[in-house]
Amino acid sequence: MKKYITISREYGSGGRLIGKMVAEQLGYAFYDKEIIDMAAEESGLSAEFIKKTEQNLSSGWLYNLLLGTSYAGTSAGGVGQPVGQAVLPLADQIFNAERKIILGLTKEPCVIVGRCADYILSTSDQIDNKDLLNVFIYADIEAKIKRIEEIYKETESCAKKTIIQIDKRRANHYNTFTENTWGDRKNYDMMINSSTAGIEATAKWIVEMAKY
């Protein structure tokens, strides 16, 4: 039985809802936006600031400094801690805080949505990869547009624009702070098109896969 399930997802694919359903069916803890409040306490930055900027800022300062050794895979020091004479950029401070929170969440079985959790856990020596299930959820563009239209009451053109922008930010953030490529099938145990069978069936597939 997998103890930890990470859900990476395209915007509008229903990934958050699917993750929540999986957690409920397995009796696991569920973390998504809750990580923002935890990271705020860890970093000293406001939750509102982190919410607005966590995927809008890309730095990779420490990633570049280490010449290919991912920041996510290193031992994290205190958030905002000087390295030499420099202070980590805000993007790195936020990522570092969220990384520490995510690793701390593994004291119990859980489902974690987004925030590079798949990479953070798979590269940590604290986690046995046999206990980890990394899932990427995507959907047909028509289904994503319809979902965003219904939830946020956006027009079709606005919904499509929002989807493209948010997915681009997610990819840039992930590609900056990890050594992997967002959405590349080699990085996940499962890739599911939620348009194929719907939200509930997709959640059931993940639950079944978690049993192995």
Side-chain angles (χ1 to χ4, degrees), residues 5-49:
I5 301 172
T6 71
I7 305 289
S8 302
R9 75 285 186 225
E10 291 183 345
Y11 186 67
S13 66
R16 183 182 189 282
L17 179 56
I18 291 167
K20 192 170 182 61
M21 288 181 175
V22 170
E24 290 173 350
Q25 291 178 37
L26 291 173
Y28 285 8
F30 175 77
Y31 299 100
D32 179 14
K33 296 178 181 179
E34 296 83 357
I35 294 174
I36 294 176
D37 292 331
M38 297 177 186
E41 183 175 350
E42 173 71 27
S43 67
L45 300 169
S46 73
E48 186 63 24
F49 176 79

Side-chain angles (χ1 to χ4, degrees), residues 121-188:
L121 296 185
S122 64
T123 57
S124 170
D125 57 10
Q126 297 178 207
I127 304 299
D128 187 336
N129 281 341
K130 293 180 181 179
D131 294 328
L132 178 63
L133 178 66
N134 292 324
V135 181
F136 189 92
I137 298 173
Y138 62 101
D140 299 337
I141 186 62
E142 295 81 6
K144 292 192 291 186
I145 289 173
K146 182 178 180 181
R147 183 173 181 80
I148 298 305
E149 285 179 316
E150 292 175 350
I151 295 175
Y152 300 106
K153 310 304 179 185
E154 292 189 10
T155 64
E156 180 178 347
S157 60
C158 287
K160 184 175 182 179
K161 182 178 180 181
T162 300
I163 289 166
I164 293 171
Q165 289 178 338
I166 292 180
D167 279 349
K168 184 176 181 179
R169 289 204 299 266
R170 287 178 177 175
N172 287 341
H173 179 80
Y174 186 92
N175 297 344
T176 296
F177 286 101
T178 82
E179 295 172 315
N180 294 340
T181 300
W182 188 75
D184 188 327
R185 63 183 177 83
K186 297 191 295 294
N187 305 325
Y188 309 96

Side-chain angles (χ1 to χ4, degrees), residues 42-43 71 75-83 87-88 92-93 96-97 100:
E42 173 71 27
S43 67
Y71 187 26
S75 297
V79 177
Q81 178 180 349
V83 178
V87 175
L88 293 180
D92 297 82
Q93 292 184 41
N96 193 25
K100 292 176 71 176

